[in-house]
Amino acid sequence: MNKKIDLKEAISIGIGGMVGGGIFAVLGLAVSLAKGGTPIAFLFAGILALITSYSYVKLSKKYPDSGGTVKFINQGFGKTIFSGGINNLLWISYIIMLSLYASAFGSYAPNLLELTHDIIIDSHIYASAIIILATAINYYSIAVVGKIESYAVIIKLVILISFIFIGAYGLIGNPNVAQLAISQWEAPIKLFAGGMVIFVAYEGFELIANAAPDIINPEKNIPKAYYYSVIFVIVLYIIIALVTVGSLPFAKIATAQDYVLAEAAKPMLGKIGFSIITVAALISTFSAINASLYGGSKVNYEIAEDDELPHHFLAKVWNQPIGLLITAIATLILVNLLQLESISTAGSVGFLLIFGFVNLVGYRLSKETNSNKIIPLVGFVLCITATIILIKQQYASNTIGVIISIAIIGFCFLLEWIYKKSEKKKTVPNKELK
């Protein structure tokens, strides 16, 4: 049964989707790339998310559908090899996001309990275990996934906002505040590239599109849900970045890159603060894995339903779409093969391209959606430009991440091309039978 969603719940879907594992996973990476300009890098990424949310608002109001992004791409481009490739990329990007969250969980967990004497082995054990646990919960009950998500949103926001207030107080007289000076910023192009690598921390607002058909008073509440959640998260991330860079020396941030938020709580709250933020990170990443597993399997099912993947993906295993099992197995493989920066780069490239094409749909359907043509067009140009800059900048320092990103994109379109060709052969009547 469909449950109607009020404005508060719709906003919490957006905030919960964004403030998942993203900030815990990529904050240290952002600082390593942007140095003192980290808050500006988060601002750049946030502005791009806000511009894109305009297209999502207009498309969600005109075409409310639980398929969300999948439906928008098909609406704009028809059911073609191109739209199928983009939708496949969305599913693969979910798997990449799951790997990112699991990687963050694996980085934080050994700080509370070491299993072996090797931190790398520990992180892989924890990352793999949490994927298996979340998959089991998704198979057990979707209602449990929803409950975990609703409680987790409150817990992580309370802890993060407390961290901001306590951390801001701790900046008084802290010599590391000097690191925020403009002289400590990276070059503008590097700041922008840094913002794009961590763009994955904002991608979750698109989950509002999946809830759009059930939102009460959609004409008023859909725009509010998108804009309020994105603006809130932009402000939250910028303040977290200010507190982190102002609390710890760059050298310390570099050594604690994978769990930097917990390390940033130490100057004011000591070991207790470190442990509290670590627990918040574990809760956040766990809830994000839960929700993304559900979302990823749903995307896979929607694509198959729209004839852009074989109908085998409509099959069910233990009363859940087979896509859930495939998504979980693919995540397990990725998280144990790739480094955090490569996962983040691949995820950001995927979502920048997807959001770029959603903006292009917004531009192409501006008459039908009664929207301003310029904003989606600017969003499209910025997303594509950002993708090119990100690939160019990362190629020098993270060649593997860039090669993986391009290979994934190529694989998604090749998969769709092969499927469409095989379907065409099946549907062409056999002339000999005529």
Side-chain angles (χ1 to χ4, degrees):
M1 282 174 67
N2 280 343
K3 175 186 174 290
K4 284 292 174 188
I5 296 166
D6 63 21
L7 178 60
K8 193 174 72 180
E9 287 170 323
I11 291 169
S12 75
I13 288 168
I15 292 172
M18 286 180 277
V19 189
I23 187 68
F24 295 99
V26 300
L27 180 60
L29 178 60
V31 178
S32 73
L33 295 166
K35 296 290 188 287
T38 303
I40 305 300
F42 273 108
L43 178 64
F44 282 153
I47 289 168
L48 193 50
L50 192 59
I51 291 168
T52 302
S53 70
Y54 177 82
S55 295
Y56 268 92
V57 165
K58 295 296 183 180
L59 291 165
S60 296
K61 280 163 70 176
K62 180 68 180 173
Y63 311 108
D65 192 287
S66 62
T69 304
V70 173
K71 296 296 179 188
F72 301 157
I73 294 292
N74 288 342
Q75 197 72 43
F77 299 106
K79 291 178 184 179
T80 60
I81 289 171
F82 179 77
S83 61
I86 292 294
N87 286 331
N88 287 340
L89 182 61
L90 177 65
W91 175 43
I92 301 292
S93 295
Y94 263 98
I95 294 167
I96 292 165
M97 290 306 300
L98 278 159
S99 308
L100 186 74
Y101 299 150
S103 175
F105 189 95
S107 297
Y108 277 87
N111 293 307
L112 284 185
L113 180 66
E114 284 185 20
L115 300 173
T116 69
H117 293 298
D118 190 318
I119 197 130
I120 295 167
I121 292 171
D122 278 1
S123 65
H124 281 290
I125 291 169
Y126 276 117
S128 302
I130 202 64
I131 295 162
I132 293 163
L133 177 63
T135 306
I137 289 169
N138 267 266
Y139 271 112
Y140 173 68
S141 169
I142 294 303
V144 172
V145 174
K147 276 187 180 169
I148 288 170
E149 191 58 27
S150 59
Y151 288 124
V153 169
I154 297 161
I155 293 166
K156 65 192 170 192
L157 284 181
V158 166
I159 292 174
L160 283 173
I161 291 164
S162 305
F163 164 82
I164 285 169
F165 282 110
I166 296 163
Y169 179 73
L171 295 182
I172 300 164
N174 191 321
N176 295 310
V177 172
Q179 292 181 154
L180 291 162
I182 294 174
S183 60
Q184 297 291 321
W185 294 10
E186 286 288 1
I189 195 82
K190 273 197 169 182
L191 285 184
F192 187 74
M196 294 312 105
V197 170
I198 50 115
F199 186 72
V200 287
Y202 284 104
E203 60 78 29
F205 71 84
E206 61 106 19
L207 294 174
I208 296 170
N210 302 87
D214 301 320
I215 293 175
I216 297 164
N217 193 358
E219 205 59 34
K220 277 188 175 180
N221 288 340
I222 285 176
K224 285 180 179 177
Y226 278 106
Y227 299 141
Y228 289 1
S229 60
V230 174
I231 290 165
F232 174 83
V233 171
I234 291 171
V235 174
L236 182 74
Y237 284 173
I238 288 171
I239 299 171
I240 287 171
L242 285 167
V243 170
T244 303
V245 175
S247 297
L248 297 170
F250 288 136
K252 190 76 176 167
I253 291 171
T255 56
Q257 185 176 316
D258 294 345
Y259 52 91
V260 70
L261 209 57
E263 198 64 41
K266 259 189 179 175
M268 272 301 290
L269 295 170
K271 186 70 182 163
I272 292 170
F274 181 89
S275 298
I276 289 168
I277 296 294
T278 300
V279 169
L282 298 179
I283 292 168
S284 289
T285 47
F286 175 50
S287 78
I289 290 163
N290 250 326
S292 299
L293 261 175
Y294 174 63
S297 64
K298 231 184 144 187
V299 164
N300 175 267
Y301 191 86
E302 292 277 350
I303 298 168
E305 213 172 34
D306 285 340
D307 291 319
E308 290 171 335
L309 273 176
H311 282 192
H312 300 300
F313 287 101
L314 296 174
K316 296 207 169 185
V317 178
W318 300 309
N319 293 323
Q320 291 298 337
I322 195 169
L324 177 59
L325 187 63
I326 297 166
T327 302
I329 292 166
T331 304
L332 275 171
I333 294 165
L334 269 190
V335 80
N336 286 297
L337 285 182
L338 299 184
Q339 296 292 320
L340 180 72
E341 191 170 356
S342 295
I343 297 170
S344 188
T345 300
S348 287
V349 166
F351 276 106
L352 281 169
L353 278 177
I354 291 156
F355 287 169
F357 290 116
V358 169
N359 279 317
L360 186 57
V361 171
Y363 169 75
R364 291 174 75 168
L365 301 178
S366 56
K367 272 188 184 172
E368 289 90 327
T369 58
N370 193 25
S371 57
N372 181 310
K373 280 184 102 160
I374 305 299
I375 299 170
L377 185 61
V378 168
F380 170 68
V381 171
L382 280 176
C383 283
I384 300 304
T385 307
T387 307
I388 294 163
I389 290 170
L390 172 58
I391 288 170
K392 194 166 176 274
Q393 282 292 121
Q394 282 286 290
Y395 190 75
S397 61
N398 183 24
T399 314
I400 291 170
V402 171
I403 291 167
I404 288 164
S405 305
I406 293 166
I408 285 168
I409 294 162
F411 172 74
C412 290
F413 284 94
L414 181 66
L415 189 74
E416 192 59 29
W417 181 77
I418 291 167
Y419 173 63
K420 284 279 197 282
K421 279 276 183 191
S422 66
E423 284 300 292
K424 213 172 184 182
K425 278 180 186 173
K426 284 180 196 171
T427 52
V428 171
N430 191 329
K431 286 177 184 176
E432 289 174 12
L433 294 173
K434 282 189 172 181

